[in-house]
Amino acid sequence: MKLAVLTSGGDSAGMSAVVRAVVKAGILSGCETWIVREGYEGLVRGNTDTQIPPTIEEPFADPAARQRVRSGKATNLVENLRFGDGDLLRDGTGDHARGRTLKGRYIVRAGWDDVRGWFAEGGTLIGTARSKTFRTPAGRLAAAYNLIREGIDALVVCGGDGSLTGADLFRSEWPSFVTTLHSEGKITDEQLSKHGHLRIVGLVGSIDNDMSLTDLTIGAPTALHRICEAIDNINSTAASHSRAFVLEVMGRHCGWLALLAGVSAGADFIFIPERPPQTDSWEDEMCDAIQMHREVGKRKTLVIVAEGAHDSNLKPIRADYVRDVLTERLGLDSRVTTLGHIQRGGRPCAYDRILPTLQGIEAVKAVLEATPDTPSYMIGVSENKITRVPLMEAVAMTRAVADAIAAKDFAKAMSLRDPEFLQSLEGFMTTSLLYKEKMLSEEKRMRVAIMHIGAPAGGMNAATRAAVRYCIKQGHTPLAVHNGFKGLLDDAIHELSWLGVDGWTSRGGSELGTNRTLPSVDLGAVAARFQQHNFHALMLIGGFEAFNALLILENGRSLYPAFHIPMVHLPATISNNVPMTEFSLGSDTSLNALVDACDAIKQSASASRNRVFVVETQGGQCGYIATMGALARQLVYTPEQGMDLDMLRADDAKGKSEGRLVIRSFLPTKKRTAPPEDMFRVEGGGLFDSRFASLGHILQGGVPTPMDRARAARLSLRCMAFLEEYHQSLLAQPLKSRCAPPESAAVITIQRSALKWVPVTEMVKHADMKNRRGKEVWWESVKVWVEALSGRSELGQVYVVSGSNPSDYLSLRPKPP
C-alpha cells in the first residue's frame, strides 16, 4: 500500500508529530509513505516532475535493495530510511531554486530519517493551506489524478472539521473520479482496477478543541499552555498595581480554551459562546462578582473572553467593552491583552507529542483495515483511550453545536459538548465565585481535613484550592493539616480561607507541606487527633504513600471509631504509580519538565553528532515517566523491562550520526549494574561517546501544567461530592454506633474512558506493594511503540550487556527470542 499524509486548515502544535508518526508507523506496517505539501492545494497541484530526483540518498550497497527503492517497492526500514527531502522540509528551503529543490513537487516520498525529530517542532513542517480549488469538482478530480499517478491509495488527513468534511466528500466521489479519468484516457485499465477505492482516515488538528466525540484535539493542550503562561506572567503585574486584565483568547464557536484557562489560572469571570450570561444585564452580574472579590481583599482581577463570546441575544461581547465596564463601574485600572496567534506557536507540550503519536499509529491501523463498506473514521481520544468514530458523525455533531448557538438554544449546545466540558464549567463557577449564602443547612455541614502525603507533585495545590472553595460554598469547614501525619500529631492544623488559596493554582510543590510518614507511626494518637478536631471527612492528596495511608486507616476502623468517616485519596505523584488509575496529578507536569530538559540536551547531542546522552528520570520502580518521555523523545529503559545496549550502533551505522538520547528510569534494575553511559562508552568504541544527565528533583518542581491544574480541580470536586454523599448516609445512623462501609474509603481513578471509585480494600489486590506500583499498567504496550519508532527492532540484532563495571564486561550476546 502507498500511504500519504497531509495537514490542512489552520496549523496547530502537534501536526508535525502526526506526520512523523504516520510515516514511521506506515513504514513499520510495510507501506510506502508519502507526504503532501501545502494541504489540499498540494494535492491539486501534484508533481510537475515525475522523475525520482537524481540525488536521492541510498544508504545501502545491496543492488537489489537499490532497485526496489527506485521501482517503488522498498519493503523494510533500511530501504525506506531516507529519500533526501527531510532537511529541505525542516529548514524551509525546499522551494529554493538552487541545488536540490521541492519546486514543482507537492507529493513527496518520505523516509524514516526524513521525519527525524519532527515531534519537537511547532506547526506543520509540510505546510498547510485552505484550498479554494479543492472545493470544486474539477479541483478534486485533479487531486484524484495526482494520487493515482503516484500510485497512492490511502490518505491520512489532519485538520479541522472543514478539512475532514472535504476528505469524506473526496472519498465518496472517488469512484466517479476514477471512471471519468479512465474514460478520458488519463489512467490505464490497470490503474482503474487497482484504485477503485480510496482509504481515508482523519485526525483533528485544532487549537480550539471544537470537535465533538473526542476529548482533545491536536494542538489544544499546547494552546492552553501558551494562554496560562501568559496569564501567570500577567498576574504578577496585575497584583502589583491592583489592576484588572481582560484577556481575549481564540474560540469562535467553542469556549474550551477560555473555560480551561479560567479553571487553570483562577480567573474571576469568563465569557464563552456555549453558555452566555443568563441575564441581559450581564454587566451587573460580572461587576457584582468582581466587587465581592475585591471586598474580601483580592488585589487583581482577570476576565477571559473567547473571541466568539456573545450575550443571550447573540450580541458580541468584546474585550474592549468589558474593560470599559470595569473601569467605569468599579473604578478599576483595566487593561486588555489579546494573545492572537501566540496561542498557535511554539514547541508542542508533552501531551501534543504523545497524543498525536498514538493517534497517528491508530490512523495507520485504521487505514490498513479500511474497506469500501466501512465509514471514514476520525481518530479521537476519550480520557486515556484512543478511539475511532465515524468521521461525518463527529462533524455533524460539531456543526450542530454552532447551529444550536445560532438558534439561541444554549442548553442544547451544552448537551452536545462532552460531559467533561460541563463538569469544568460547573467547577469554574464553584471555584471562582464567592457565594453569599451557604448551600447546605447547618446539620449537613462537615469539618473536612485536607492532607498532602508523599513527595510533592504539580496540581496538589490546585486540588486543595478547589476543595477549599467548594467547602466554603457549601458551608463546610476546610482544615489544612500541615506536614502530613507528622503535622497532625504536632497539632499543625488550621482553617483555610477563600482568599488564602486564591493564587494556589499556579504554585508547584505543596503549600501544606508533605512527607512520607504513615499513620502507623502512632495510629492511636492519629485517632485521638481525629476525635479532638471532630473530623467528619478526610481528603488525602498524594501518591503511593497516600494509598497506603488510606489502607491503614480503613483497617484501623475496627479499633478506632474516629476513623468511621468518609475518606478519599486523590492520586498525585509524578511517578504515576498508584494502582488502577491511568493518570495521577503531577505526571503531566513532570513529563513536560522532562521533555523541556531533553530538548535542551538534544541540542548538545546533535551538535556533537556522535554523542549519546543517557538521561535519568525519577520514578522509582515505575517506568511511566521514562516511557512516555521516550515516546516524545527517543529510547527508554525502565525497571519493568531492564536495560539493553544496542540500537545506537546499528542505527548510526546505517543512518546519520546526529546524536541520540536514551532515557532511563532511576534504579532500572534490581541488581545495580554498570552505569549505561559507561556501557555505551566502552562498547561504542570510536563510533560514539556518552554523557550522563540526572534530572532528579527538577522533575518535581516548577509551575504545574494547565492539564494538571484543570484535572486537579475536576477530580477534587468529585472527591468532595463523594465525601458529602457518604457523610449524609452516616448521619442517618445513630451517633455512637456509626459504621462506615468499606466503600467509603476509596481512591478516585481514571480508567480508560471513565472516572471510577475503587475501595482501597479492593485496590490493594491490584497493587505490587513491594515495588510500589500496580501489577498491571496500561502503558506497557506503549514501550513496544517506543522501541519500534526508534527503529530498535528493525536495525539489526538487539543485544544485552552483562557485567558490574565497564572493565568487567562479558561479551555481547544476542538476546534470546
Side-chain angles (χ1 to χ4, degrees), residues 451-501:
M451 187 185 302
H452 296 176
I453 303 293
M460 278 184 160
N461 297 320
T464 304
R465 174 184 180 273
V468 169
R469 293 282 178 91
Y470 182 90
C471 284
I472 293 172
K473 167 180 172 281
Q474 297 293 89
H476 306 311
T477 302
L479 299 169
V481 180
H482 294 274
N483 201 26
F485 283 99
K486 280 186 177 180
L488 176 69
L489 296 176
D490 292 337
D491 209 22
I493 301 168
H494 89 281
E495 183 176 343
L496 292 166
S497 67
W498 187 93
L499 185 62
V501 297

Side-chain angles (χ1 to χ4, degrees), residues 544 577-580 622 766-768 772-777:
F544 204 87
N577 62 338
V578 176
M580 298 189 72
C622 179
H766 301 270
D768 180 350
R772 294 164 46 84
R773 64 190 184 210
K775 292 180 179 178
E776 296 181 0
V777 291

